[in-house]
Amino acid sequence: MQRRAFLSGALGAALASLYARTSFAQSDSHTMHMAPGPAGMSDARAMPGGTMPAPAPLAAADALTTGAPLPTLRTLANESREPGRFRATLVAQAVPRPLLPGQSDTPFWQYDAGTGTPDLGAPVIGPLIEVREGDTVEIRFVNRLAQPSTIHWHGLPVPPDQDGNPADPIAPGAGRLYRFTLPAGSAGTYWYHPHPHMLTAEQVFRGLAGPIVVRAADDPLAAWPERHLFVTDLKLAADGTIAPNSMMDWMNGREGQFLLLNGALRPQIDVTRDERWRVWNACNARYLLLAFDDGRSFAQVGTDGGLLAAPRGNVTSLLLAPGERAELIVAAGALPSRARLVAAQYDRRKMAMMGGSLPAEPTRALADVRFASGAAAPGAAGTPPALPAQLRAIAPLSPFRARQSVVFSEAMDMKAMHQPGASALSMPRGMQFMVNGATYEPGRVTLTSRRGEVEQWSIENRTDMDHPFHLHGTQFQVLARERGGRHVAASYLAWRDTVNVEPGETVHIATIQREAGERMFHCHILEHEDLGMMGTLRVV
Ligand code: C2O
Ligand code: CU
Ligand code: CU
């Protein structure tokens, strides 16, 4: 029997062989001891004759109600009266919420403000942090979880020791102060979430994630009413518990049966005026190909790090990889109409257990949208002016002082997977997702950069599936995509901190770090990150 396979392209096949052994080689007494409970892998249903405990069945697709008005997100109150200062407390804690009638409460984990009195009237999503360029932000974090945690300020240029790195965990019951000042030019759409070593995926899928909006004094789109769409994914068991990650979830990244918008399943949105939408993909692994089902267009005006130089009109679909954000202008139109906001089919080449790849997920409804119902007559007071042709200046990052190379790869170590005792781990040993040939190790430096120097990075995907690359502490510019030696230059300049990389593709970016210290870069499929598809950038 082949015990060890290092491969690119054979991960699915290796798993197939593993599963065949587990299912049918009954005499092998120490195959795949699986731990029950949230830490275990539990795809036993896929394994007739297997010895793993059966996982709880999932809740039916219609177990949650649809059609409620889009919930408004909570806002984190500023406890400081000083101008230019934002001060608050965020408590991470377990908050059971009644979700399925007749079942026990669903054990969410959520961020709450102040003393931590759980806000049960609002979605689980952490309160919106709304701040301005130039603000000094001081957030006290209290960890009331039973495991270590951190708060990472995804996309913001905060000092390395304030960024919630896995190397700076906050123990259960402990707390710390995060403090940073938002520089000019940082206006944009960000988010916060935990980043503890090997525990990020679970903490996020249990509810720990929240939005951040940084505003500029001279926002050219300030006249447009703003709507926030925070997308999360929920894999709910029929008994009301949150299902643990299965082997397939670890391999492909977890996707639940419920795709939620501000915590609600397929809510109703009424657009009576042209609106500015900020959309967050806070799913562990689900890709969102945003579109309206009637093919209507919208304008894209922003990416992760704020406004584009100019609006991109007539966009009919926009891909948001896990971790990415966008700003859109959605027109009410002159006449009443309806459309469904969907996550359209996108094939991210998920791997199948028996080798090859799984079919793409079907289109999912995100919301039902009513346009222009009760709208003011065109030209009436309150109608926003036409979109400005220019939004802001974006200078291309240059000149390049150094080059860095990041390679994503995958491998399966069958021997490690079969080791007795492997069952006690919270994730499958031996399923490896790597950066530059190695899985993440605390303290090991993967790349070194000099602060203040523009670098050109190439991110190459040598695996069989898409991976969203994310770099901490800065916003970068995508220069080009390369495949088979052919370069295609990016068609517009934008500030991003997350970019999708397709299999066989190399994405070239321009980036700069402005402070010395350690920064993480990783795949933002959080299961892959926890499995080690992450590196440390030392900035000197
Ligand atoms: Cu949102 Cu290191 O990630
Ligand atoms: Cu981040
Ligand atoms: Cu990945």
Side-chain angles (χ1 to χ4, degrees), residues 91-375:
V91 178
Q93 59 188 353
V95 176
R97 286 167 167 257
L99 198 61
L100 295 182
Q103 303 295 335
S104 52
D105 285 358
T106 299
F108 285 107
W109 297 348
Q110 71 179 53
Y111 288 115
D112 285 293
T115 57
T117 309
D119 190 341
L120 290 164
V124 171
I125 296 159
L128 168 69
I129 300 175
E130 204 173 350
V131 284
R132 312 189 73 83
E133 288 181 356
D135 280 358
T136 293
V137 180
E138 291 177 345
I139 294 181
R140 172 151 292 282
F141 170 52
V142 178
N143 180 10
R144 286 198 197 131
L145 305 173
Q147 48 181 242
S149 192
T150 75
I151 303 183
H152 167 58
W153 315 99
H154 179 126
L156 283 175
V158 314
D161 60 349
Q162 305 299 310
D163 209 13
N165 283 340
D168 300 321
I170 310 304
R176 72 159 279 175
L177 182 70
Y178 290 107
R179 190 173 190 279
F180 47 87
T181 298
L182 298 165
S186 62
T189 310
Y190 305 90
W191 58 305
Y192 60 98
H193 63 76
H195 219 303
H197 184 41
M198 299 201 291
L199 298 169
T200 301
E202 182 184 12
Q203 293 190 11
V204 173
F205 75 61
R206 286 188 181 272
L208 292 171
I212 303 174
V213 171
V214 181
R215 297 196 182 281
D218 56 348
D219 181 353
L221 299 177
W224 276 258
E226 201 169 297
R227 192 182 289 278
H228 296 157
L229 307 176
F230 199 87
V231 183
T232 58
D233 191 286
L234 179 65
K235 186 176 178 184
L236 189 66
D239 63 1
T241 60
I242 295 177
N245 268 349
S246 68
M247 169 95 77
M248 289 300 277
D249 292 336
W250 284 112
M251 182 166 73
N252 286 317
R254 173 190 180 98
E255 292 178 345
Q257 76 273 51
F258 297 117
L259 184 56
L260 305 179
L261 198 49
N262 294 2
L265 182 65
R266 203 171 161 180
Q268 174 76 45
I269 298 177
D270 277 282
V271 176
T272 58
R273 296 171 52 186
D274 294 3
E275 293 184 352
R276 177 189 199 170
W277 286 12
R278 295 184 193 257
V279 189
W280 286 261
N281 184 350
C283 300
N284 273 40
R286 189 181 292 277
Y287 280 60
L288 303 174
L289 182 56
L290 296 174
F292 290 103
D293 69 334
D294 61 356
R296 74 179 61 203
S297 66
F298 49 90
Q300 183 186 9
V301 290
T303 47
D304 303 326
L307 295 176
L308 299 172
R312 295 179 62 226
N314 292 315
V315 177
T316 50
S317 69
L318 181 67
L319 183 66
L320 283 191
E324 268 193 280
R325 293 85 64 206
E327 289 182 63
L328 318 175
I329 298 289
V330 175
L335 296 170
S337 64
R338 285 166 184 269
R340 190 175 302 158
L341 176 68
V342 299
Q345 193 167 58
Y346 173 76
D347 189 359
R348 65 181 181 89
R349 289 146 279 219
K350 288 193 284 188
M351 288 183 281
M353 213 38 110
M354 305 316 266
S357 52
L358 293 171
E361 281 274 301
T363 293
R364 297 284 200 111
L366 273 166
D368 291 299
V369 190
R370 274 196 302 246
F371 294 89
S373 52

Side-chain angles (χ1 to χ4, degrees), residues 152 154 191 193 195 470 472 520 522 524 529:
H152 167 58
H154 179 126
W191 58 305
H193 63 76
H195 219 303
H470 169 54
H472 286 202
M520 317 312 301
H522 56 88
H524 218 286
E529 182 219 309

Side-chain angles (χ1 to χ4, degrees), residues 476-481 489-490 492-494 496 498-499 507-510:
F476 55 72
Q477 296 174 349
V478 173
L479 301 169
R481 292 178 174 271
Y492 60 98
L493 265 180
R496 303 176 187 275
T498 308
V499 64
V507 174
H508 298 274
I509 64 168

Side-chain angles (χ1 to χ4, degrees), residues 467 523 525 528 533:
H467 299 280
C523 170
I525 289 177
H528 294 172
M533 199 174 234

